[in-house]
Amino acid sequence: MKKISLFLLAVCGIALLMAGCSSKETEEDVSTLELKKNGEIVHTIVEDFGESYYDLDELKSSTEEMIADYNSSAGADRVKLNSAQTQDGVVRLVMTFKSSEDYSGFYRQALFSGTVKEAFGAGYDLDVTLNSVKEEGTTISKQDILDMGDKHVAIVRENINIRPYGDILYMSSDVTLGADGKTAVVTNGESLSYIIFK
């Protein structure tokens, strides 16, 4: 089932695009959050853009305006538009956020990226059951997770691919491992999903 892209609602204020991520063939052709070791978030947005009344310049201008407003409120350049292009009826926008907090603030969408200890300190109670990537049938729960204080965790409420900078160790039941073994595919945008990685 197709859904209206939250990104384009936020940027343009109207539903310009219908998401077609589930029909894409490769992981490079779907919207992805890449978590960088320095804390930055690179958001690659890939959406159908085939209708004649869609305008890339207008989309780019609206995006840049939203970014300028956010950066002005933040008092620093926290978000930037890296590129915006179309090919074969698909638009690809790449944006960089200085932190997961900036991503959350810009989109008003839940995202956390940091250590388990930092997540707990930020108010996530981590009372969840996660599945091991390497040992099928093995799960961990809250105390196991808390004991991994220095491991990294991504917490998201969005149907999107997550590409962390380390090996994925544990995931929520609504997350699957991508074909490359390095990407987590979140399949339920209605609740928080958890990915623990090295």
Side-chain angles (χ1 to χ4, degrees):
M1 185 174 78
K2 294 187 176 182
K3 68 179 182 65
I4 302 296
S5 168
L6 290 175
F7 164 72
L8 292 163
L9 283 172
V11 171
C12 302
I14 56 172
L16 289 179
L17 300 176
M18 300 296 285
C21 296
S22 61
S23 64
K24 305 298 179 189
E25 292 182 359
T26 68
E27 290 168 7
E28 290 75 23
D29 292 333
V30 299
S31 295
T32 302
L33 293 179
E34 183 179 356
L35 313 181
K36 296 289 195 178
K37 201 166 189 176
N38 64 1
E40 289 184 347
I41 307 295
V42 178
H43 188 196
T44 301
I45 302 136
V46 181
E47 301 282 358
D48 291 338
F49 204 69
E51 299 299 330
S52 60
Y53 52 82
Y54 294 158
D55 188 300
L56 180 63
D57 289 337
E58 182 180 341
L59 176 61
K60 185 176 178 181
S61 175
S62 298
T63 304
E64 288 172 336
E65 184 178 335
M66 289 288 289
I67 289 172
D69 288 346
Y70 180 87
N71 287 339
S72 177
S73 297
D77 290 340
R78 305 292 299 175
V79 183
K80 71 175 181 178
L81 177 63
N82 300 25
S83 63
Q85 57 189 1
T86 59
Q87 184 176 357
D88 299 328
V90 173
V91 65
R92 178 185 294 267
L93 278 77
V94 181
M95 301 170 66
T96 297
F97 298 81
K98 284 292 186 184
S99 69
S100 57
E101 290 84 359
D102 292 308
Y103 181 92
S104 293
F106 186 82
Y107 289 120
R108 307 213 181 283
Q109 183 77 9
L111 176 67
F112 176 88
S113 179
T115 66
V116 169
K117 189 183 301 180
E118 289 167 343
F120 189 71
Y124 295 95
D125 70 9
L126 305 178
D127 189 13
V128 294
T129 300
L130 304 180
N131 301 312
S132 171
V133 169
K134 299 189 184 298
E135 300 177 36
E136 188 175 348
T138 300
T139 62
I140 58 172
S141 55
K142 181 175 182 178
Q143 191 56 55
D144 302 310
I145 296 168
L146 292 174
D147 289 343
M148 299 180 183
D150 293 330
K151 291 285 192 285
H152 295 87
V153 62
I155 305 171
V156 63
R157 183 186 286 119
E158 185 176 357
N159 285 5
I160 197 161
N161 283 9
I162 305 286
R163 188 175 298 123
Y165 55 84
D167 293 338
I168 299 171
L169 304 174
Y170 299 92
M171 307 181 301
S172 301
S173 59
D174 54 4
V175 181
T176 60
L177 197 62
D180 64 0
K182 299 177 181 178
T183 303
V185 181
V186 181
T187 59
N188 178 14
E190 301 301 316
S191 60
L192 291 176
S193 297
Y194 298 77
I195 300 128
I196 292 181
F197 58 99
K198 287 184 181 178

